[in-house]
Structure formats: C-alpha cells, structure tokens
Amino acid sequence: MKYLNLIYFCMLCFSVIGQNSEELVLSSRFLHPINSKDTLNTINLVKKLGVKKVDWLYSDSESGLKELSKYARFSLAMNPQVPDSGQFTIKGRVQDINGNKLKAPWMSKWKMNNPYWGCVNSPVFQEVFKKRAQVLISLGAYGLVVDDARMNDQAVEWGGCFCEYCMDGFTNFLSTSGVNLPYLNFNYKAYLKDMNKVDSVYLLAELKMQFKKFQHESVVKFISNWRDEIKSQWPDIKLFTNNYLGRWTEIYSLFDGGIAEIRNKDLTDSFFLQKRSTCDSLKKEQTFTLASDNFLDYINFFNLCKKYHFNAVAPWDVFVGKGKESNSRYFIEDDLLEVIFSNFKNDCTWQIDSTENLIVKATLSARKNRRNTNKLIVYFSSINNEIKHFEIIK
C-alpha cells in the first residue's frame, strides 16, 4: 500500500499545462468525509498541500463546496444517470425492445437508486440534464465533467434505445435516408418483434446500420444544444468528458477537454507525441491518468506527461479494480504526502539510478536552477512491487 500512496502523490506533484508547478490537480471522486465513519477529508488535504485544482468531483454539498472554493477550483461531474424523480431514475430512460429500462453492463451489479441512463431523445431527460448542469455551475464549479458522454450511441451496443421518442425519431430519420421501407407508418421496434416481416436480411442489416447512425447523430445534436445553451449563460465554463485513451471522436470533440485513463502499453513517446499533435490541432485540453500496480510504469508515466505537456491527475480517490468493493479504491497517506510535497512541489522528473538485486533506486529531483534541490530516493522491490525504503537527501 505504501508504494501506491507514494506513486499517487508523485502524480499530484505536477500539473503539466503550461509547466506551472503551482497548478496541482487532485482527484477526489467524492467530497470526503462521505459519512461519520470516513476518516478521509478532501478539504483538509487540499489545504495542507496547497492544491489549486480538484477535478471530477461528484458532490452537490453547498456548504462543502463553498468551503472548498476558498482553496481550490473544482470541476463537478454528472452522467446519464441524472435522477428525474428524487434520487431515482424513472422517466425518460433508455429502453430495450420490450420496454424495460436498461443498465450499462458494467453497472449491472451496482447497488444504487439511479442505475438507468437517460435517453437523449426524451424531453424529460433533456430537461433534467440541463437543470442538473445549472445546479452544479451555481455551486461554484469552474467546469463540468460529463461521464459516459456517448449515451445513446453507446447504449445501442447493449440493446437500446427503443422508447417512443427514439422510434418516432428513427422513422423521421429514415424518411430522408433513402431506405425503402416495407410499409407506411414504419415502426422499427414493431418490425423487429414481428419476425414475419423481417423478410430481407439486407434490409435488416441496413436498418441496423441506420439505427446506430441515428442514435449517434441524436447524441451529437443533444450535446451540441446542451453545450450551446450552457455556454450562452456561462461563457467561461469548461466542459470536459472522459475520452478513453485520449480519443477525439465527433461526440468527444464537442467538449473543451478530456480526462482519459491510459494503459501501460500506451506509455510510449509515439503515443504521447500523437496525442500532443492531435490536441494542438483541435485546441483541446487533455488530462491523463494511469491505474497500475507497477512503480516503474508510473516513473515512465510522470516523465512522458511532463515531456509532452499533459496534465497528470493524482488519483487520491482512485478506482483501480473491478466492481464496487471498497478495497478497489486507494488513497494517499496524508503524512507521507505532506513530507514529499513540501520538498518537491516544483518541477520534478524521475530518474532510475541503478538496478541491483531486483531493487530499483529512483530519484525525484527538483530543477537545477531552483533553490530547492532536495532529492527523494526510493528503493522499490520488483519482486513484490512495493517500496522498501525512501529518504530525503538535502
């Protein structure tokens, strides 16, 4: 656990945008403490370390966010599960062909009041999504993070959406697509359920392709309209999405920036150089995070983010496992974090100094032209992936 704590600190040690060492990025998925048994405290950590920016925070605590705003900017998160009835997701939800509300496959075992995604073609969901954004901005957020922004475009892959708004919208969409429909007043759901009318495999294949295109364009239209309305009220608000691997598809490109988890195999100069070129050409802000249990991967990650000027998030409240088990989240130990941060808050790079008997000695050094030239020496065992010892050399 200790080596993970140290690793996650080092990600917080710099924000690469503009090489501004004082711009620190902390990830706190929830505003801790979340209950009376929670010993963690997001605001206390922010104060202790002088963190200036907290990203991807799920919270609507007026008092908590007002206190946090005294010390750091923060972006608040929202997703397709915005409740429409108290804490529950009931109306305007993605439906399967039988009219049942759908859950995302990875959320099938999650215990929550609001597991169902909203449908972007439903007026009910359109309104609750807009109002949720307005509430979060009113709480002082400098930006919004939209999780799972593909919405209906992704729901097609697991059986949605066949609600009345989607069916009517798809029929209108087909009227201009050039597809020869088998009968008047065509309804896609009814057509699929009545197998006697599925008399052409070619027509069926064409309809499936057109349906995915319709849902994709529905999301583009929804996000575009939502973005324009929000920006008209708050021109300076930043809109982000989780763009996996730093991809900029048509939907992701509707946002100002992205927060992306990358894989160990992506820790290469060619990957980061390509992402830098794309972000520059599109004028997009990109933040990367890495979930790994290998210390050497993190050394590479730190150096590549710094080299190519990407923001690196310190996932103090980070999900690294499967499911919703509490042991799938990791946190930095405050005392260890404070000691290291106080010595290396300025620009730092990692160097592997030696490898002996499967022990790696890694050095985190301040820039030579700064007064603070302290070094952090870390001895890491590659046998069991843990830090054996660390020391500060002045």
Side-chain angles (χ1 to χ4, degrees):
M1 176 67 75
K2 179 180 284 188
Y3 89 92
L4 279 172
N5 290 337
L6 182 58
I7 289 168
Y8 293 156
F9 159 75
C10 296
M11 292 178 67
L12 186 128
C13 220
F14 58 87
S15 173
V16 198
I17 294 178
Q19 294 293 293
N20 185 349
S21 60
E22 296 180 355
E23 180 82 344
L24 306 177
V25 182
L26 180 71
S27 174
S28 181
R29 195 54 52 92
F30 305 100
L31 190 62
H32 295 277
I34 58 176
N35 55 46
S36 59
K37 297 181 180 179
D38 189 356
T39 60
L40 302 166
N41 192 301
T42 302
I43 296 176
N44 285 350
L45 183 65
V46 166
K47 291 164 58 178
K48 181 185 294 186
L49 302 179
V51 172
K52 300 302 179 186
K53 189 165 74 168
V54 178
D55 277 327
W56 200 313
L57 175 62
Y58 278 100
S59 178
D60 55 8
S61 170
E62 185 174 355
S63 59
L65 293 174
K66 183 177 181 180
E67 180 68 14
L68 177 61
S69 67
K70 297 178 182 178
Y71 310 100
R73 297 183 299 152
F74 54 86
S75 63
L76 297 177
M78 57 189 297
N79 55 39
Q81 300 135 246
V82 176
D84 59 279
S85 304
Q87 298 180 6
F88 299 90
T89 47
I90 298 176
K91 302 176 182 177
R93 302 291 134 182
V94 170
Q95 297 179 13
D96 67 13
I97 196 169
N98 295 313
N100 301 312
K101 292 191 287 290
L102 282 172
K103 293 181 183 179
W106 60 90
M107 295 171 52
S108 61
K109 296 182 179 179
W110 293 10
K111 295 180 180 180
M112 55 196 311
N113 294 328
N114 56 340
Y116 303 113
W117 285 22
C119 171
V120 300
N121 291 307
S122 166
V124 173
F125 178 71
Q126 292 171 3
E127 187 65 19
V128 298
F129 197 82
K130 180 182 70 174
K131 287 185 176 179
R132 181 60 177 170
Q134 293 170 336
V135 167
L136 295 180
I137 295 172
S138 71
L139 291 171
Y142 85 90
L144 299 179
V145 180
V146 178
D147 196 1
D148 295 320
R150 286 180 58 197
M151 302 190 188
N152 286 45
D153 178 61
Q154 190 169 10
V156 171
E157 299 168 6
W158 27 274
C161 173
F162 289 89
C163 75
E164 59 179 306
Y165 301 105
C166 285
M167 293 303 93
D168 289 345
F170 186 45
T171 298
N172 292 332
F173 177 84
L174 289 173
S175 67
T176 60
S177 67
V179 178
N180 293 320
L181 299 177
Y183 52 86
L184 295 175
N185 300 319
F186 176 81
N187 181 284
Y188 185 48
K189 179 167 69 172
Y191 179 78
L192 292 178
K193 296 186 75 171
D194 186 352
M195 297 305 296
N196 292 327
K197 292 181 179 178
V198 183
D199 52 2
S200 170
V201 292
Y202 300 104
L203 176 59
L204 180 59
E206 176 69 13
L207 289 172
K208 286 184 176 180
M209 182 182 69
Q210 292 292 343
F211 187 60
K212 182 167 181 57
K213 183 179 179 182
F214 160 71
Q215 293 291 13
H216 175 84
E217 293 187 6
S218 295
V219 176
V220 171
K221 180 181 178 180
F222 169 71
I223 295 293
S224 298
N225 291 339
W226 171 80
R227 176 201 61 192
D228 293 346
E229 186 166 355
I230 293 299
K231 291 277 191 177
S232 68
Q233 294 179 266
W234 296 277
D236 297 328
I237 198 72
K238 295 292 185 180
L239 301 178
F240 304 102
T241 185
N242 60 326
N243 60 331
Y244 180 61
L245 297 182
R247 293 169 178 163
W248 290 104
T249 63
E250 184 178 14
I251 292 174
Y252 294 154
S253 295
L254 299 172
F255 294 84
D256 299 311
I259 301 177
E261 180 178 310
I262 57 175
R263 305 160 299 189
N264 292 346
K265 68 178 183 180
D266 301 316
L267 297 175
T268 64
D269 280 281
S270 60
F271 176 88
F272 275 75
L273 182 61
Q274 188 273 325
K275 297 302 177 182
R276 180 73 275 152
S277 176
T278 300
C279 287
D280 288 345
S281 64
L282 296 177
K283 294 182 173 56
K284 299 295 184 181
E285 179 180 337
Q286 182 67 66
T287 298
F288 285 129
T289 183
L290 178 74
S292 173
D293 60 359
N294 190 300
F295 181 61
L296 300 186
D297 288 339
Y298 275 93
I299 294 177
N300 200 11
F301 175 70
F302 303 150
N303 290 338
L304 285 167
C305 282
K306 192 175 188 64
K307 181 178 180 180
Y308 292 100
H309 311 297
F310 286 109
N311 224 15
V313 173
W316 175 69
D317 179 357
V318 61
F319 177 67
V320 294
K322 296 180 180 180
K324 296 288 285 185
E325 300 87 352
S326 59
N327 60 3
S328 293
R329 308 198 80 88
Y330 290 89
F331 301 86
I332 303 170
E333 295 176 8
D334 292 5
D335 292 340
L336 176 62
L337 182 56
E338 183 179 21
V339 170
I340 302 173
F341 182 80
S342 65
N343 286 273
F344 302 104
K345 63 183 296 186
N346 296 317
D347 290 345
C348 304
T349 56
W350 280 95
Q351 294 177 334
I352 300 176
D353 294 334
S354 65
T355 303
E356 297 177 2
N357 299 322
L358 296 179
I359 300 295
V360 176
K361 184 174 69 171
T363 305
L364 182 62
S365 303
R367 265 192 346 204
K368 292 182 179 180
N369 63 344
R370 292 184 179 272
R371 293 181 180 179
N372 186 348
T373 58
N374 295 348
K375 292 183 178 181
L376 173 68
I377 308 297
V378 179
Y379 295 88
F380 170 75
S381 170
S382 59
I383 297 176
N384 49 13
N385 282 344
E386 67 178 20
I387 286 179
K388 292 294 188 180
H389 172 67
F390 71 92
E391 57 186 289
I392 296 173
I393 308 298
K394 296 184 177 182

